[in-house]
Every structure is written in C-alpha cells, then in structure tokens.
Amino acid sequence: VLNIRQTEVAIKKVKDFFERELAAQLHLTRVSAPVFVDSNSGLNDNLNGTERTVRFDLPGGQDLEIVQSLAKWKRHALNMYDFGPGEGLYTDMNAIRRDEETDNIHSVFVDQWDWERILRPTERNEEFLRRTVRYIYDALRQTENYIADDYNFIGHLLPEEITFITASELEAKYPELTPKEREY
C-alpha cells in the first residue's frame, strides 16, 4: 500500500515510538553502540564461535573488527557509564555478519536493538522476568496501536495479554517433537 519512501517513513515512526516506549517501561537510557571494536579488547562476542568477523586495520597497525554482538560490550558499558541497580541501557546496533544464513528475516547487515539492565538481588526470579516481559509486550502493543491509528489499513494482531509457557510444559504437551519444533 505504501511506496518505498512512505515505507521508510513508517519504519522510522515505528522504531522511534517503540524506542521511547521501551525506554520508559524498563527505565533505560540510550547509549550509542560501537560499529567496531579493537580486536584485542575482548569486547566482541563472536556468537557461536564459527562466524568470521569482518576485520580491518588502521594506519599504525591497530586491528579492528566489526561488532558481531553486544553481549560483552553492554556489560562493559553499564560499568563505564556508572549505571546502578535498577538502571540499564539500550542501543541500536549496526553490524555486518558475513557468515549469516540469509532469508526473509536474516541479512548480512544487522540492525537490531539490544538492552541490558543491572538487576537487584531481589529481581533475580521468574516473577520479575515475567513482569519485564509484560512491560516489553506493553511497549509492543502501544506501538501497534500508534501505527494502526496512523495507518488505518493496518490492523491489530497482538492479543491483549501475552501467554507464558515453560519448556517443561511444552515437553509434556508435545513429547514427540524435538526441542526446536516445540519452540516453534
């Protein structure tokens, strides 16, 4: 229904709205993610260990590599920016994963949000995890409402409430399926 330019505008609206909602729901501060890190820093997470990073060197010999994942960097940034318990950060990561198996949702160019929060000892439990998921889901639903109101041809797909099911409950319900099939 939208042309390519209108589609880009709509994508930006969704990203901006969701970003604000997520930050508000989870008490997060935006921090810019690195596109590359020093190869010797130990901050690049090489995912499953088989992907080849995109590397280059600077004049003077410093070896750099395109970020694959921000898992290690986020923890480093929480400390570097002096975040405390109950606080966190979010970022919008851009990366190149040259060994990615591409399909309709995977590309060698990665543009993804990531977030990390310092938990209090009392928050390290399933109840807190479920509450956090509900906050994220609420941000998604608010974003859906916003964009559906702005573009009247877009309907509402998300159910009012999110449903939880554990791996053991799935296994009991579908014992004949593999773990991957049960997850799907």
Side-chain angles (χ1 to χ4, degrees), residues 119-142:
L119 296 179
R120 296 177 180 97
T122 58
E123 296 172 330
R124 296 176 187 272
N125 57 63
E126 188 176 334
E127 177 189 330
F128 181 78
L129 176 61
R130 287 178 185 245
R131 188 169 53 244
T132 301
V133 170
R134 284 188 189 100
Y135 288 144
I136 296 167
Y137 190 71
D138 186 55
L140 288 169
R141 288 207 58 234
Q142 294 298 326

mmCIF file with all atom_site columns, all heavy atoms in Angstrom, residues 119-142:
data_model
loop_
_atom_site.group_PDB
_atom_site.id
_atom_site.type_symbol
_atom_site.label_atom_id
_atom_site.label_alt_id
_atom_site.label_comp_id
_atom_site.label_asym_id
_atom_site.label_entity_id
_atom_site.label_seq_id
_atom_site.pdbx_PDB_ins_code
_atom_site.Cartn_x
_atom_site.Cartn_y
_atom_site.Cartn_z
_atom_site.occupancy
_atom_site.B_iso_or_equiv
_atom_site.pdbx_formal_charge
_atom_site.auth_seq_id
_atom_site.auth_comp_id
_atom_site.auth_asym_id
_atom_site.auth_atom_id
_atom_site.pdbx_PDB_model_num
ATOM 1   N N   . LEU A 1 119 ? 20.344 -5.918  37.560 1.00 0.00 ? 119 LEU A N   1
ATOM 2   C CA  . LEU A 1 119 ? 19.299 -6.416  38.446 1.00 0.00 ? 119 LEU A CA  1
ATOM 3   C C   . LEU A 1 119 ? 19.708 -6.291  39.904 1.00 0.00 ? 119 LEU A C   1
ATOM 4   O O   . LEU A 1 119 ? 20.872 -6.491  40.251 1.00 0.00 ? 119 LEU A O   1
ATOM 5   C CB  . LEU A 1 119 ? 19.011 -7.895  38.146 1.00 0.00 ? 119 LEU A CB  1
ATOM 6   C CG  . LEU A 1 119 ? 18.459 -8.230  36.774 1.00 0.00 ? 119 LEU A CG  1
ATOM 7   C CD1 . LEU A 1 119 ? 18.251 -9.736  36.649 1.00 0.00 ? 119 LEU A CD1 1
ATOM 8   C CD2 . LEU A 1 119 ? 17.165 -7.494  36.503 1.00 0.00 ? 119 LEU A CD2 1
ATOM 9   N N   . ARG A 1 120 ? 18.726 -6.000  40.707 1.00 0.00 ? 120 ARG A N   1
ATOM 10  C CA  . ARG A 1 120 ? 18.912 -6.077  42.158 1.00 0.00 ? 120 ARG A CA  1
ATOM 11  C C   . ARG A 1 120 ? 18.820 -7.554  42.534 1.00 0.00 ? 120 ARG A C   1
ATOM 12  O O   . ARG A 1 120 ? 18.164 -8.334  41.839 1.00 0.00 ? 120 ARG A O   1
ATOM 13  C CB  . ARG A 1 120 ? 17.816 -5.286  42.871 1.00 0.00 ? 120 ARG A CB  1
ATOM 14  C CG  . ARG A 1 120 ? 17.849 -3.800  42.579 1.00 0.00 ? 120 ARG A CG  1
ATOM 15  C CD  . ARG A 1 120 ? 16.668 -3.105  43.274 1.00 0.00 ? 120 ARG A CD  1
ATOM 16  N NE  . ARG A 1 120 ? 16.675 -1.692  43.001 1.00 0.00 ? 120 ARG A NE  1
ATOM 17  C CZ  . ARG A 1 120 ? 15.948 -1.113  42.044 1.00 0.00 ? 120 ARG A CZ  1
ATOM 18  N NH1 . ARG A 1 120 ? 15.154 -1.821  41.281 1.00 0.00 ? 120 ARG A NH1 1
ATOM 19  N NH2 . ARG A 1 120 ? 16.019 0.186   41.867 1.00 0.00 ? 120 ARG A NH2 1
ATOM 20  N N   . PRO A 1 121 ? 19.415 -7.965  43.641 1.00 0.00 ? 121 PRO A N   1
ATOM 21  C CA  . PRO A 1 121 ? 19.308 -9.379  44.048 1.00 0.00 ? 121 PRO A CA  1
ATOM 22  C C   . PRO A 1 121 ? 17.858 -9.861  44.162 1.00 0.00 ? 121 PRO A C   1
ATOM 23  O O   . PRO A 1 121 ? 17.549 -10.991 43.810 1.00 0.00 ? 121 PRO A O   1
ATOM 24  C CB  . PRO A 1 121 ? 20.016 -9.411  45.404 1.00 0.00 ? 121 PRO A CB  1
ATOM 25  C CG  . PRO A 1 121 ? 21.002 -8.286  45.328 1.00 0.00 ? 121 PRO A CG  1
ATOM 26  C CD  . PRO A 1 121 ? 20.324 -7.208  44.511 1.00 0.00 ? 121 PRO A CD  1
ATOM 27  N N   . THR A 1 122 ? 16.959 -8.969  44.589 1.00 0.00 ? 122 THR A N   1
ATOM 28  C CA  . THR A 1 122 ? 15.542 -9.356  44.739 1.00 0.00 ? 122 THR A CA  1
ATOM 29  C C   . THR A 1 122 ? 14.826 -9.521  43.404 1.00 0.00 ? 122 THR A C   1
ATOM 30  O O   . THR A 1 122 ? 13.709 -10.025 43.368 1.00 0.00 ? 122 THR A O   1
ATOM 31  C CB  . THR A 1 122 ? 14.792 -8.313  45.584 1.00 0.00 ? 122 THR A CB  1
ATOM 32  O OG1 . THR A 1 122 ? 14.927 -7.030  44.938 1.00 0.00 ? 122 THR A OG1 1
ATOM 33  C CG2 . THR A 1 122 ? 15.340 -8.244  46.997 1.00 0.00 ? 122 THR A CG2 1
ATOM 34  N N   . GLU A 1 123 ? 15.463 -9.081  42.313 1.00 0.00 ? 123 GLU A N   1
ATOM 35  C CA  . GLU A 1 123 ? 14.843 -9.161  40.982 1.00 0.00 ? 123 GLU A CA  1
ATOM 36  C C   . GLU A 1 123 ? 15.257 -10.420 40.218 1.00 0.00 ? 123 GLU A C   1
ATOM 37  O O   . GLU A 1 123 ? 14.787 -10.645 39.112 1.00 0.00 ? 123 GLU A O   1
ATOM 38  C CB  . GLU A 1 123 ? 15.208 -7.918  40.161 1.00 0.00 ? 123 GLU A CB  1
ATOM 39  C CG  . GLU A 1 123 ? 14.655 -6.637  40.748 1.00 0.00 ? 123 GLU A CG  1
ATOM 40  C CD  . GLU A 1 123 ? 15.169 -5.395  40.054 1.00 0.00 ? 123 GLU A CD  1
ATOM 41  O OE1 . GLU A 1 123 ? 16.311 -5.413  39.537 1.00 0.00 ? 123 GLU A OE1 1
ATOM 42  O OE2 . GLU A 1 123 ? 14.438 -4.393  40.041 1.00 0.00 ? 123 GLU A OE2 1
ATOM 43  N N   . ARG A 1 124 ? 16.105 -11.208 40.792 1.00 0.00 ? 124 ARG A N   1
ATOM 44  C CA  . ARG A 1 124 ? 16.610 -12.402 40.098 1.00 0.00 ? 124 ARG A CA  1
ATOM 45  C C   . ARG A 1 124 ? 15.666 -13.585 40.321 1.00 0.00 ? 124 ARG A C   1
ATOM 46  O O   . ARG A 1 124 ? 15.997 -14.549 41.001 1.00 0.00 ? 124 ARG A O   1
ATOM 47  C CB  . ARG A 1 124 ? 18.016 -12.735 40.574 1.00 0.00 ? 124 ARG A CB  1
ATOM 48  C CG  . ARG A 1 124 ? 19.014 -11.662 40.234 1.00 0.00 ? 124 ARG A CG  1
ATOM 49  C CD  . ARG A 1 124 ? 20.393 -11.950 40.800 1.00 0.00 ? 124 ARG A CD  1
ATOM 50  N NE  . ARG A 1 124 ? 21.271 -10.830 40.584 1.00 0.00 ? 124 ARG A NE  1
ATOM 51  C CZ  . ARG A 1 124 ? 22.009 -10.643 39.490 1.00 0.00 ? 124 ARG A CZ  1
ATOM 52  N NH1 . ARG A 1 124 ? 21.962 -11.513 38.525 1.00 0.00 ? 124 ARG A NH1 1
ATOM 53  N NH2 . ARG A 1 124 ? 22.766 -9.579  39.379 1.00 0.00 ? 124 ARG A NH2 1
ATOM 54  N N   . ASN A 1 125 ? 14.463 -13.468 39.714 1.00 0.00 ? 125 ASN A N   1
ATOM 55  C CA  . ASN A 1 125 ? 13.473 -14.524 39.879 1.00 0.00 ? 125 ASN A CA  1
ATOM 56  C C   . ASN A 1 125 ? 12.513 -14.521 38.693 1.00 0.00 ? 125 ASN A C   1
ATOM 57  O O   . ASN A 1 125 ? 12.465 -13.573 37.904 1.00 0.00 ? 125 ASN A O   1
ATOM 58  C CB  . ASN A 1 125 ? 12.709 -14.350 41.198 1.00 0.00 ? 125 ASN A CB  1
ATOM 59  C CG  . ASN A 1 125 ? 12.038 -12.998 41.295 1.00 0.00 ? 125 ASN A CG  1
ATOM 60  O OD1 . ASN A 1 125 ? 11.154 -12.670 40.511 1.00 0.00 ? 125 ASN A OD1 1
ATOM 61  N ND2 . ASN A 1 125 ? 12.473 -12.191 42.272 1.00 0.00 ? 125 ASN A ND2 1
ATOM 62  N N   . GLU A 1 126 ? 11.738 -15.591 38.595 1.00 0.00 ? 126 GLU A N   1
ATOM 63  C CA  . GLU A 1 126 ? 10.823 -15.740 37.469 1.00 0.00 ? 126 GLU A CA  1
ATOM 64  C C   . GLU A 1 126 ? 9.734  -14.671 37.460 1.00 0.00 ? 126 GLU A C   1
ATOM 65  O O   . GLU A 1 126 ? 9.332  -14.184 36.405 1.00 0.00 ? 126 GLU A O   1
ATOM 66  C CB  . GLU A 1 126 ? 10.197 -17.136 37.487 1.00 0.00 ? 126 GLU A CB  1
ATOM 67  C CG  . GLU A 1 126 ? 9.379  -17.440 36.260 1.00 0.00 ? 126 GLU A CG  1
ATOM 68  C CD  . GLU A 1 126 ? 8.834  -18.849 36.246 1.00 0.00 ? 126 GLU A CD  1
ATOM 69  O OE1 . GLU A 1 126 ? 9.434  -19.749 36.878 1.00 0.00 ? 126 GLU A OE1 1
ATOM 70  O OE2 . GLU A 1 126 ? 7.783  -19.043 35.595 1.00 0.00 ? 126 GLU A OE2 1
ATOM 71  N N   . GLU A 1 127 ? 9.256  -14.293 38.610 1.00 0.00 ? 127 GLU A N   1
ATOM 72  C CA  . GLU A 1 127 ? 8.200  -13.272 38.692 1.00 0.00 ? 127 GLU A CA  1
ATOM 73  C C   . GLU A 1 127 ? 8.668  -11.958 38.062 1.00 0.00 ? 127 GLU A C   1
ATOM 74  O O   . GLU A 1 127 ? 7.942  -11.328 37.286 1.00 0.00 ? 127 GLU A O   1
ATOM 75  C CB  . GLU A 1 127 ? 7.791  -13.036 40.149 1.00 0.00 ? 127 GLU A CB  1
ATOM 76  C CG  . GLU A 1 127 ? 6.748  -11.952 40.325 1.00 0.00 ? 127 GLU A CG  1
ATOM 77  C CD  . GLU A 1 127 ? 6.523  -11.594 41.791 1.00 0.00 ? 127 GLU A CD  1
ATOM 78  O OE1 . GLU A 1 127 ? 6.696  -12.461 42.662 1.00 0.00 ? 127 GLU A OE1 1
ATOM 79  O OE2 . GLU A 1 127 ? 6.195  -10.427 42.045 1.00 0.00 ? 127 GLU A OE2 1
ATOM 80  N N   . PHE A 1 128 ? 9.898  -11.543 38.391 1.00 0.00 ? 128 PHE A N   1
ATOM 81  C CA  . PHE A 1 128 ? 10.433 -10.310 37.830 1.00 0.00 ? 128 PHE A CA  1
ATOM 82  C C   . PHE A 1 128 ? 10.622 -10.448 36.319 1.00 0.00 ? 128 PHE A C   1
ATOM 83  O O   . PHE A 1 128 ? 10.333 -9.516  35.558 1.00 0.00 ? 128 PHE A O   1
ATOM 84  C CB  . PHE A 1 128 ? 11.757 -9.930  38.497 1.00 0.00 ? 128 PHE A CB  1
ATOM 85  C CG  . PHE A 1 128 ? 12.332 -8.654  37.957 1.00 0.00 ? 128 PHE A CG  1
ATOM 86  C CD1 . PHE A 1 128 ? 11.834 -7.418  38.366 1.00 0.00 ? 128 PHE A CD1 1
ATOM 87  C CD2 . PHE A 1 128 ? 13.352 -8.681  37.023 1.00 0.00 ? 128 PHE A CD2 1
ATOM 88  C CE1 . PHE A 1 128 ? 12.347 -6.242  37.855 1.00 0.00 ? 128 PHE A CE1 1
ATOM 89  C CE2 . PHE A 1 128 ? 13.866 -7.508  36.511 1.00 0.00 ? 128 PHE A CE2 1
ATOM 90  C CZ  . PHE A 1 128 ? 13.369 -6.286  36.925 1.00 0.00 ? 128 PHE A CZ  1
ATOM 91  N N   . LEU A 1 129 ? 11.101 -11.603 35.860 1.00 0.00 ? 129 LEU A N   1
ATOM 92  C CA  . LEU A 1 129 ? 11.290 -11.851 34.436 1.00 0.00 ? 129 LEU A CA  1
ATOM 93  C C   . LEU A 1 129 ? 9.954  -11.724 33.697 1.00 0.00 ? 129 LEU A C   1
ATOM 94  O O   . LEU A 1 129 ? 9.858  -11.056 32.672 1.00 0.00 ? 129 LEU A O   1
ATOM 95  C CB  . LEU A 1 129 ? 11.899 -13.235 34.210 1.00 0.00 ? 129 LEU A CB  1
ATOM 96  C CG  . LEU A 1 129 ? 12.067 -13.660 32.754 1.00 0.00 ? 129 LEU A CG  1
ATOM 97  C CD1 . LEU A 1 129 ? 12.993 -12.722 32.008 1.00 0.00 ? 129 LEU A CD1 1
ATOM 98  C CD2 . LEU A 1 129 ? 12.583 -15.088 32.694 1.00 0.00 ? 129 LEU A CD2 1
ATOM 99  N N   . ARG A 1 130 ? 8.913  -12.344 34.235 1.00 0.00 ? 130 ARG A N   1
ATOM 100 C CA  . ARG A 1 130 ? 7.591  -12.262 33.599 1.00 0.00 ? 130 ARG A CA  1
ATOM 101 C C   . ARG A 1 130 ? 7.071  -10.817 33.580 1.00 0.00 ? 130 ARG A C   1
ATOM 102 O O   . ARG A 1 130 ? 6.493  -10.375 32.588 1.00 0.00 ? 130 ARG A O   1
ATOM 103 C CB  . ARG A 1 130 ? 6.598  -13.180 34.310 1.00 0.00 ? 130 ARG A CB  1
ATOM 104 C CG  . ARG A 1 130 ? 6.837  -14.644 34.017 1.00 0.00 ? 130 ARG A CG  1
ATOM 105 C CD  . ARG A 1 130 ? 5.857  -15.525 34.783 1.00 0.00 ? 130 ARG A CD  1
ATOM 106 N NE  . ARG A 1 130 ? 6.159  -16.926 34.603 1.00 0.00 ? 130 ARG A NE  1
ATOM 107 C CZ  . ARG A 1 130 ? 5.361  -17.784 33.981 1.00 0.00 ? 130 ARG A CZ  1
ATOM 108 N NH1 . ARG A 1 130 ? 4.198  -17.387 33.505 1.00 0.00 ? 130 ARG A NH1 1
ATOM 109 N NH2 . ARG A 1 130 ? 5.726  -19.044 33.844 1.00 0.00 ? 130 ARG A NH2 1
ATOM 110 N N   . ARG A 1 131 ? 7.275  -10.088 34.651 1.00 0.00 ? 131 ARG A N   1
ATOM 111 C CA  . ARG A 1 131 ? 6.842  -8.690  34.706 1.00 0.00 ? 131 ARG A CA  1
ATOM 112 C C   . ARG A 1 131 ? 7.586  -7.871  33.640 1.00 0.00 ? 131 ARG A C   1
ATOM 113 O O   . ARG A 1 131 ? 6.987  -7.048  32.942 1.00 0.00 ? 131 ARG A O   1
ATOM 114 C CB  . ARG A 1 131 ? 7.062  -8.116  36.108 1.00 0.00 ? 131 ARG A CB  1
ATOM 115 C CG  . ARG A 1 131 ? 6.460  -6.735  36.288 1.00 0.00 ? 131 ARG A CG  1
ATOM 116 C CD  . ARG A 1 131 ? 6.426  -6.246  37.735 1.00 0.00 ? 131 ARG A CD  1
ATOM 117 N NE  . ARG A 1 131 ? 7.705  -6.309  38.408 1.00 0.00 ? 131 ARG A NE  1
ATOM 118 C CZ  . ARG A 1 131 ? 7.962  -7.089  39.465 1.00 0.00 ? 131 ARG A CZ  1
ATOM 119 N NH1 . ARG A 1 131 ? 7.017  -7.853  39.967 1.00 0.00 ? 131 ARG A NH1 1
ATOM 120 N NH2 . ARG A 1 131 ? 9.157  -7.090  40.020 1.00 0.00 ? 131 ARG A NH2 1
ATOM 121 N N   . THR A 1 132 ? 8.869  -8.124  33.497 1.00 0.00 ? 132 THR A N   1
ATOM 122 C CA  . THR A 1 132 ? 9.664  -7.422  32.492 1.00 0.00 ? 132 THR A CA  1
ATOM 123 C C   . THR A 1 132 ? 9.158  -7.737  31.088 1.00 0.00 ? 132 THR A C   1
ATOM 124 O O   . THR A 1 132 ? 9.021  -6.848  30.250 1.00 0.00 ? 132 THR A O   1
ATOM 125 C CB  . THR A 1 132 ? 11.155 -7.793  32.630 1.00 0.00 ? 132 THR A CB  1
ATOM 126 O OG1 . THR A 1 132 ? 11.599 -7.429  33.946 1.00 0.00 ? 132 THR A OG1 1
ATOM 127 C CG2 . THR A 1 132 ? 12.011 -7.087  31.590 1.00 0.00 ? 132 THR A CG2 1
ATOM 128 N N   . VAL A 1 133 ? 8.858  -9.002  30.838 1.00 0.00 ? 133 VAL A N   1
ATOM 129 C CA  . VAL A 1 133 ? 8.312  -9.392  29.525 1.00 0.00 ? 133 VAL A CA  1
ATOM 130 C C   . VAL A 1 133 ? 6.978  -8.688  29.282 1.00 0.00 ? 133 VAL A C   1
ATOM 131 O O   . VAL A 1 133 ? 6.702  -8.236  28.172 1.00 0.00 ? 133 VAL A O   1
ATOM 132 C CB  . VAL A 1 133 ? 8.175  -10.925 29.418 1.00 0.00 ? 133 VAL A CB  1
ATOM 133 C CG1 . VAL A 1 133 ? 7.387  -11.327 28.180 1.00 0.00 ? 133 VAL A CG1 1
ATOM 134 C CG2 . VAL A 1 133 ? 9.554  -11.577 29.417 1.00 0.00 ? 133 VAL A CG2 1
ATOM 135 N N   . ARG A 1 134 ? 6.164  -8.576  30.309 1.00 0.00 ? 134 ARG A N   1
ATOM 136 C CA  . ARG A 1 134 ? 4.884  -7.866  30.157 1.00 0.00 ? 134 ARG A CA  1
ATOM 137 C C   . ARG A 1 134 ? 5.115  -6.388  29.814 1.00 0.00 ? 134 ARG A C   1
ATOM 138 O O   . ARG A 1 134 ? 4.375  -5.804  29.012 1.00 0.00 ? 134 ARG A O   1
ATOM 139 C CB  . ARG A 1 134 ? 4.036  -7.998  31.419 1.00 0.00 ? 134 ARG A CB  1
ATOM 140 C CG  . ARG A 1 134 ? 3.393  -9.360  31.557 1.00 0.00 ? 134 ARG A CG  1
ATOM 141 C CD  . ARG A 1 134 ? 2.400  -9.411  32.729 1.00 0.00 ? 134 ARG A CD  1
ATOM 142 N NE  . ARG A 1 134 ? 1.986  -10.767 32.946 1.00 0.00 ? 134 ARG A NE  1
ATOM 143 C CZ  . ARG A 1 134 ? 2.478  -11.584 33.888 1.00 0.00 ? 134 ARG A CZ  1
ATOM 144 N NH1 . ARG A 1 134 ? 3.404  -11.148 34.724 1.00 0.00 ? 134 ARG A NH1 1
ATOM 145 N NH2 . ARG A 1 134 ? 2.043  -12.813 34.000 1.00 0.00 ? 134 ARG A NH2 1
ATOM 146 N N   . TYR A 1 135 ? 6.120  -5.767  30.410 1.00 0.00 ? 135 TYR A N   1
ATOM 147 C CA  . TYR A 1 135 ? 6.443  -4.376  30.074 1.00 0.00 ? 135 TYR A CA  1
ATOM 148 C C   . TYR A 1 135 ? 6.860  -4.254  28.601 1.00 0.00 ? 135 TYR A C   1
ATOM 149 O O   . TYR A 1 135 ? 6.449  -3.331  27.899 1.00 0.00 ? 135 TYR A O   1
ATOM 150 C CB  . TYR A 1 135 ? 7.567  -3.832  30.961 1.00 0.00 ? 135 TYR A CB  1
ATOM 151 C CG  . TYR A 1 135 ? 7.184  -3.557  32.388 1.00 0.00 ? 135 TYR A CG  1
ATOM 152 C CD1 . TYR A 1 135 ? 8.087  -3.792  33.421 1.00 0.00 ? 135 TYR A CD1 1
ATOM 153 C CD2 . TYR A 1 135 ? 5.932  -3.047  32.734 1.00 0.00 ? 135 TYR A CD2 1
ATOM 154 C CE1 . TYR A 1 135 ? 7.758  -3.532  34.739 1.00 0.00 ? 135 TYR A CE1 1
ATOM 155 C CE2 . TYR A 1 135 ? 5.591  -2.783  34.055 1.00 0.00 ? 135 TYR A CE2 1
ATOM 156 C CZ  . TYR A 1 135 ? 6.510  -3.029  35.046 1.00 0.00 ? 135 TYR A CZ  1
ATOM 157 O OH  . TYR A 1 135 ? 6.187  -2.762  36.348 1.00 0.00 ? 135 TYR A OH  1
ATOM 158 N N   . ILE A 1 136 ? 7.702  -5.177  28.163 1.00 0.00 ? 136 ILE A N   1
ATOM 159 C CA  . ILE A 1 136 ? 8.145  -5.160  26.761 1.00 0.00 ? 136 ILE A CA  1
ATOM 160 C C   . ILE A 1 136 ? 6.943  -5.373  25.840 1.00 0.00 ? 136 ILE A C   1
ATOM 161 O O   . ILE A 1 136 ? 6.783  -4.678  24.832 1.00 0.00 ? 136 ILE A O   1
ATOM 162 C CB  . ILE A 1 136 ? 9.227  -6.230  26.515 1.00 0.00 ? 136 ILE A CB  1
ATOM 163 C CG1 . ILE A 1 136 ? 10.480 -5.903  27.326 1.00 0.00 ? 136 ILE A CG1 1
ATOM 164 C CG2 . ILE A 1 136 ? 9.556  -6.340  25.029 1.00 0.00 ? 136 ILE A CG2 1
ATOM 165 C CD1 . ILE A 1 136 ? 11.485 -7.037  27.409 1.00 0.00 ? 136 ILE A CD1 1
ATOM 166 N N   . TYR A 1 137 ? 6.096  -6.322  26.206 1.00 0.00 ? 137 TYR A N   1
ATOM 167 C CA  . TYR A 1 137 ? 4.912  -6.605  25.401 1.00 0.00 ? 137 TYR A CA  1
ATOM 168 C C   . TYR A 1 137 ? 3.984  -5.388  25.363 1.00 0.00 ? 137 TYR A C   1
ATOM 169 O O   . TYR A 1 137 ? 3.421  -5.058  24.316 1.00 0.00 ? 137 TYR A O   1
ATOM 170 C CB  . TYR A 1 137 ? 4.179  -7.830  25.946 1.00 0.00 ? 137 TYR A CB  1
ATOM 171 C CG  . TYR A 1 137 ? 3.085  -8.316  25.028 1.00 0.00 ? 137 TYR A CG  1
ATOM 172 C CD1 . TYR A 1 137 ? 3.397  -8.928  23.815 1.00 0.00 ? 137 TYR A CD1 1
ATOM 173 C CD2 . TYR A 1 137 ? 1.752  -8.144  25.352 1.00 0.00 ? 137 TYR A CD2 1
ATOM 174 C CE1 . TYR A 1 137 ? 2.401  -9.362  22.963 1.00 0.00 ? 137 TYR A CE1 1
ATOM 175 C CE2 . TYR A 1 137 ? 0.749  -8.578  24.501 1.00 0.00 ? 137 TYR A CE2 1
ATOM 176 C CZ  . TYR A 1 137 ? 1.079  -9.185  23.305 1.00 0.00 ? 137 TYR A CZ  1
ATOM 177 O OH  . TYR A 1 137 ? 0.091  -9.610  22.457 1.00 0.00 ? 137 TYR A OH  1
ATOM 178 N N   . ASP A 1 138 ? 3.857  -4.699  26.476 1.00 0.00 ? 138 ASP A N   1
ATOM 179 C CA  . ASP A 1 138 ? 3.040  -3.499  26.505 1.00 0.00 ? 138 ASP A CA  1
ATOM 180 C C   . ASP A 1 138 ? 3.610  -2.438  25.556 1.00 0.00 ? 138 ASP A C   1
ATOM 181 O O   . ASP A 1 138 ? 2.852  -1.768  24.840 1.00 0.00 ? 138 ASP A O   1
ATOM 182 C CB  . ASP A 1 138 ? 2.934  -2.942  27.928 1.00 0.00 ? 138 ASP A CB  1
ATOM 183 C CG  . ASP A 1 138 ? 1.971  -1.772  28.008 1.00 0.00 ? 138 ASP A CG  1
ATOM 184 O OD1 . ASP A 1 138 ? 0.801  -1.929  27.593 1.00 0.00 ? 138 ASP A OD1 1
ATOM 185 O OD2 . ASP A 1 138 ? 2.384  -0.695  28.477 1.00 0.00 ? 138 ASP A OD2 1
ATOM 186 N N   . ALA A 1 139 ? 4.924  -2.304  25.524 1.00 0.00 ? 139 ALA A N   1
ATOM 187 C CA  . ALA A 1 139 ? 5.549  -1.358  24.590 1.00 0.00 ? 139 ALA A CA  1
ATOM 188 C C   . ALA A 1 139 ? 5.252  -1.755  23.148 1.00 0.00 ? 139 ALA A C   1
ATOM 189 O O   . ALA A 1 139 ? 4.988  -0.900  22.293 1.00 0.00 ? 139 ALA A O   1
ATOM 190 C CB  . ALA A 1 139 ? 7.058  -1.293  24.836 1.00 0.00 ? 139 ALA A CB  1
ATOM 191 N N   . LEU A 1 140 ? 5.266  -3.057  22.862 1.00 0.00 ? 140 LEU A N   1
ATOM 192 C CA  . LEU A 1 140 ? 4.926  -3.539  21.518 1.00 0.00 ? 140 LEU A CA  1
ATOM 193 C C   . LEU A 1 140 ? 3.469  -3.234  21.179 1.00 0.00 ? 140 LEU A C   1
ATOM 194 O O   . LEU A 1 140 ? 3.155  -2.781  20.076 1.00 0.00 ? 140 LEU A O   1
ATOM 195 C CB  . LEU A 1 140 ? 5.185  -5.037  21.399 1.00 0.00 ? 140 LEU A CB  1
ATOM 196 C CG  . LEU A 1 140 ? 6.642  -5.467  21.358 1.00 0.00 ? 140 LEU A CG  1
ATOM 197 C CD1 . LEU A 1 140 ? 6.760  -6.970  21.509 1.00 0.00 ? 140 LEU A CD1 1
ATOM 198 C CD2 . LEU A 1 140 ? 7.306  -4.998  20.073 1.00 0.00 ? 140 LEU A CD2 1
ATOM 199 N N   . ARG A 1 141 ? 2.568  -3.468  22.126 1.00 0.00 ? 141 ARG A N   1
ATOM 200 C CA  . ARG A 1 141 ? 1.140  -3.208  21.884 1.00 0.00 ? 141 ARG A CA  1
ATOM 201 C C   . ARG A 1 141 ? 0.879  -1.712  21.709 1.00 0.00 ? 141 ARG A C   1
ATOM 202 O O   . ARG A 1 141 ? 0.087  -1.317  20.852 1.00 0.00 ? 141 ARG A O   1
ATOM 203 C CB  . ARG A 1 141 ? 0.288  -3.757  23.032 1.00 0.00 ? 141 ARG A CB  1
ATOM 204 C CG  . ARG A 1 141 ? 0.250  -5.282  22.993 1.00 0.00 ? 141 ARG A CG  1
ATOM 205 C CD  . ARG A 1 141 ? -0.960 -5.914  23.598 1.00 0.00 ? 141 ARG A CD  1
ATOM 206 N NE  . ARG A 1 141 ? -2.193 -5.465  22.971 1.00 0.00 ? 141 ARG A NE  1
ATOM 207 C CZ  . ARG A 1 141 ? -3.216 -4.937  23.647 1.00 0.00 ? 141 ARG A CZ  1
ATOM 208 N NH1 . ARG A 1 141 ? -3.171 -4.813  24.950 1.00 0.00 ? 141 ARG A NH1 1
ATOM 209 N NH2 . ARG A 1 141 ? -4.305 -4.564  23.011 1.00 0.00 ? 141 ARG A NH2 1
ATOM 210 N N   . GLN A 1 142 ? 1.544  -0.882  22.510 1.00 0.00 ? 142 GLN A N   1
ATOM 211 C CA  . GLN A 1 142 ? 1.386  0.569   22.354 1.00 0.00 ? 142 GLN A CA  1
ATOM 212 C C   . GLN A 1 142 ? 1.871  1.011   20.974 1.00 0.00 ? 142 GLN A C   1
ATOM 213 O O   . GLN A 1 142 ? 1.269  1.871   20.333 1.00 0.00 ? 142 GLN A O   1
ATOM 214 C CB  . GLN A 1 142 ? 2.145  1.317   23.456 1.00 0.00 ? 142 GLN A CB  1
ATOM 215 C CG  . GLN A 1 142 ? 1.611  1.113   24.852 1.00 0.00 ? 142 GLN A CG  1
ATOM 216 C CD  . GLN A 1 142 ? 0.190  1.620   25.011 1.00 0.00 ? 142 GLN A CD  1
ATOM 217 O OE1 . GLN A 1 142 ? -0.205 2.603   24.408 1.00 0.00 ? 142 GLN A OE1 1
ATOM 218 N NE2 . GLN A 1 142 ? -0.594 0.914   25.807 1.00 0.00 ? 142 GLN A NE2 1
#
